[in-house]
Amino acid sequence: MRLMAQMAMVMNLDKCIGCHTCSVTCKQAWTNRTGTEYVWFNNVETRPGQGYPRGYEDQEKWKGGWKLNRKGRLGLKGGGRLQSLGTIFFNPKMPAIGDYYEPWTYDYSTLTDAPAQQHTPVARPKSLITGKNINIAWSANWDDDLGGSIEHGHKDVMLKNIADKVKFEFEQTFMFYLPRICEHCLNPSCAASCPSGAIYKRAEDGIVLVDQDRCRGWRKCVSGCPYKKIYFNHKTGKAEKCTFCFPRIEVGLPTVCAETCVGRLRYIGLMLYDADKVLEAASTTDDHDLYEAQRSVFLDPNDPVVMREAEAAGIPRDWVLAAQRSPIWALINTFKVALPLHPEYRTMPMVWYIPPLSPVVDIVRDTGHDAEDGENLFAAIEALRIPIEYLAELFTAGDVAPVDAVLRRLAAMRSYMREINMGRPADESLAEAVGMTGVEIQDMFRLLAIAKYDERYVIPPAHAEQAHALEELATECSLDFDGGPGMGGSGPFGEGSGAPTPIAVENFQMLRERQTSDTVVESEDRQYRQGRTNLLNWDGRGTPEGLFPQNGNKIPGQPGSGSAGSAGSAGSAGSAGSAQDDSPEERQ
Amino acid sequence: MTVTSLSVMSLTATSPTLSYPAVYTPTTPVGGVDTFLWVIFPYICLTVFVVGHLWRYRYDKFGWTTRSSQLYESRMLRLGSPLFHFGILFVLAGHVMGLGVPKSWTDFVGISEGMYHFMAVSIGTVAGVCTVAGMAILIYRRRTVGAVFSATTRMDKTMYVFLGTVIVLGLVNTLVANVFGEYDYRESVSVWFRGIFRFSLKPELMAAAPIGFKLHALAAFSLLALWPFTRLVHVFSAPLGYITRPYIVYRSRDDQLGSRAPRRGWEKIK
Ligand code: HEM
Ligand code: SF4
Ligand code: SF4
């Protein structure tokens, strides 16, 4: 047994209101830079819909992820090592910018500089790639809320296997939101397809990162990831991906997307698993068995044998305790309501989803029936094949049974709790019907409905013996170079070249205190921070010193000079700093 | 001058391969210009090449990339890039053969002059034409596709000027020397070239070479000097290690220190 810990996430899709707050805050923190304008580490798709990039789920086209070869052995779907090197000069499976969308801005100055005139001036959209005028024809969420689905909804890849296609007519359709980040897979095909070996899985917490110093821009990972969650920074010429906000996770804070989620639907916690069994599980013959196969890789953190193994593997005690309290373990294993996204890609994804019951509830309600009633809901789950087949295409490679079981549990919980809330005796038969006890149902309800911050996010901080990595200025953030997140300008050899500039990841514990205190206090790290502000962890309360340049401060240099010199400013790093007009020096 | 005459002497004294006075005429006077062009300049360029790469690797690992432009445009790249790259790799292999391997060796293994000539001309011409065609597509694409053009740096342009010059001159030389003329560069240019690395300097060989070869060699050495400062550094990270590496890479957070040594007082306890 090779026991490893994995930081994982579960999203409860019933609660997603599709507000895109997660996407926006993520973008502000990580991809608000030239080169990554089109990049959304977190995006929210309306399903049915094509997703972002368009039609990314069609692996017959993109060849992402893994497949079993004729001998039943696992190999990259995009081809083996030699084939990959043979197509290195041109990657035939890489999405073009048009598959994402051409990012744009507006020519705002025509508005602000317009003289008094009879007609309202218009700000034309300008491409952020070429600077030319463009006609906006697609974006990362163009089909939001099924917009335009009558025309292109049928292009949803997942509908291919559903005989009785979803009808995109107003009354008949169903809809839900699917927020997506990188899956931080146990068997990441992005890492496997990287010729330089620059993509690695952190041994401590399983977060998958791109080493910006080793990436050589071969752009094979972009096509290797079936979820298309590796993006090519077209200015720096390097691959970038969701970092699971590791600087925050390391000090016990949830990711930015989870922290800011309006629906409070994201859960973060640890999973222990046996790394030696991953390959075997990923090689399971039948696609339908992959969900169970992946579950079998996880280890029960309450099992004494596992606890001993964990100790032997050097996993700190508080991590094991955190794994026992992990909401992820509860949702995947105890309550069995979370399912992986596209297990058939065989990457063993680690961001799981509780499928939404709402398409079913909505339809029951629309027909005038009681949508809280267990009988009605069970009957509807039985009858509404299309939404359920659709969910199965997403979460269980098309196997309806597990989705069906999850929805029944959610339905049972719904009507069981209704009885209690109405002051009526609980109906234990509802619980039994889905193989649970009333207590379990109430526990599940607690976790799904009222769990507080520290129950939703059980994140043990990284360890003191590694503290130097967390210390101010010394983070080993592989992205915090000139041109990395938050850096602007370009060195002598093109965008983003030059010596690494240290990021100022401030003391996150301090932030945590600030966030949980009632008053807006000026943090004590002032002289420590020397007037720099890191917007990555600024919570919007108060005005930290250094948020604005001091008066009378001379603004030296051009943003472009970009080399080692511009260093210090990294304060602005992780976030907005990159806005091109924002000379890093200004912030000093 | 002493350097050269010395080496000529030592060559006369020791080298058993001194069997081609037909091409190399010791009586050709070697002026200061020639010494500069064929001795000093190559060494300067090679030094810049080596030191430049070391420096860039230390200073700018983050800038060490192909800076692929495939995201912007793929139709022309699909044709141009493989054509150019496969072409240039064959051309490079040809140079290793033609410049690096002494004629006596090929003679020894029994490759006849005619056969060698035939191979060099045929493969060389095909590879050269592919390279030039591919490069033409790449340059045309850089200039005409708006997104690619705006991502082109000054260094890219400079690099293409030199790379283009070297490649075109090289192709012209291959055609002129092998098809029309009968100039045997393997007994002159190649000997001079190898001499640079063996510190046995023979500028007079180059001084007597046809102008096409002179220009090609000068442009090539200039390109070498430019190399570490352009995107061409990607050539040195050709990912051959991928063939043997395990698929999934695990790294500990501690390893992420990467190029940066831990700060004083924070070194790991061994
Ligand atoms: C040894 C193996 C090599 C590999 C694996 C390799 C790989 C690549 C890759 C992946 C690109 C990016 C293409 C794109 O997506 O835009 C590229 C571009 C380029 N390579 Fe190479 N290369 C190699 C050797 C060479 C050599 C020997 C030269 C020339 C001396 C060269 C010159 C170039 C140039 C000029 C470009 C830019 C093309 C453009 O205008 O976009 N490469 N190379
Ligand atoms: S989802 Fe993330 S970890 Fe998995 S293959 Fe894609 S980029 Fe890699
Ligand atoms: S912030 Fe939460 S509720 Fe809003 S779109 Fe994102 S996941 Fe859904």
Side-chain angles (χ1 to χ4, degrees), chain A residues 307-505:
Chain A
M307 287 163 73
R308 229 173 308 131
E309 282 292 334
E311 197 180 345
I315 293 180
R317 174 105 187 110
D318 58 339
W319 279 51
V320 177
L321 293 178
Q324 291 170 353
R325 285 182 52 224
S326 167
I328 312 300
W329 171 258
L331 293 170
I332 290 181
N333 210 68
T334 318
F335 305 128
K336 271 189 97 169
V337 285
L339 300 171
L341 180 64
H342 291 305
E344 72 274 20
Y345 298 162
R346 297 174 184 272
T347 61
M348 305 268 119
M350 286 309 292
V351 173
W352 287 36
Y353 294 87
I354 303 177
L357 184 63
S358 49
V360 177
V361 175
D362 290 347
I363 292 173
V364 175
R365 187 180 298 121
D366 290 347
T367 53
H369 291 89
D370 178 3
E372 313 290 323
D373 181 88
E375 294 296 313
N376 286 352
L377 285 174
F378 288 156
I381 294 173
E382 200 75 46
L384 293 171
R385 296 325 303 176
I386 294 177
I388 291 165
E389 275 175 31
Y390 186 85
L391 291 173
E393 288 293 327
L394 283 180
F395 300 116
T396 50
D399 184 6
V400 196
V403 176
D404 196 281
V406 172
L407 294 184
R408 277 168 194 277
R409 288 183 168 210
L410 296 177
M413 180 183 81
R414 207 179 158 89
S415 42
Y416 186 91
M417 292 312 295
R418 203 258 301 253
E419 297 303 300
I420 291 181
N421 290 338
M422 303 292 278
R424 294 200 283 256
D427 179 359
E428 294 301 328
S429 70
L430 274 170
E432 277 160 31
V434 294
M436 294 173 87
T437 65
V439 178
E440 279 174 339
I441 291 236
Q442 294 202 32
D443 283 349
M444 179 160 95
F445 174 75
R446 241 199 88 68
L447 186 56
L448 290 185
I450 48 187
K452 293 281 181 288
Y453 195 89
D454 58 354
E455 290 169 79
R456 281 181 279 130
Y457 311 127
V458 181
I459 307 167
H463 263 259
E465 54 271 23
Q466 302 154 331
H468 65 278
L470 303 177
E471 186 218 6
E472 166 105 355
L473 294 181
T475 52
E476 268 62 61
C477 172
S478 47
L479 289 170
D480 55 346
F481 293 93
D482 254 3
M487 297 297 145
S490 58
F493 310 117
E495 200 78 26
S497 63
T501 318
I503 193 178
V505 166

Side-chain angles (χ1 to χ4, degrees), chain B residues 75-117:
Chain B
R75 209 173 44 86
M76 278 187 260
L77 191 73
R78 176 190 299 273
L79 190 63
S81 182
L83 206 55
F84 169 76
H85 276 99
F86 285 120
I88 195 109
L89 289 180
F90 270 100
V91 169
L92 279 182
H95 278 70
V96 170
M97 279 293 290
L99 290 178
V101 179
K103 193 169 182 175
S104 53
W105 294 13
T106 46
D107 286 347
F108 182 76
V109 255
I111 300 176
S112 73
E113 178 66 33
M115 181 135 117
Y116 183 90
H117 196 76

Side-chain angles (χ1 to χ4, degrees), chain A residues 281-292:
Chain A
S283 316
T284 305
T285 325
D286 187 353
D287 281 356
H288 287 183
D289 296 334
L290 280 162
Y291 158 58
E292 279 303 333

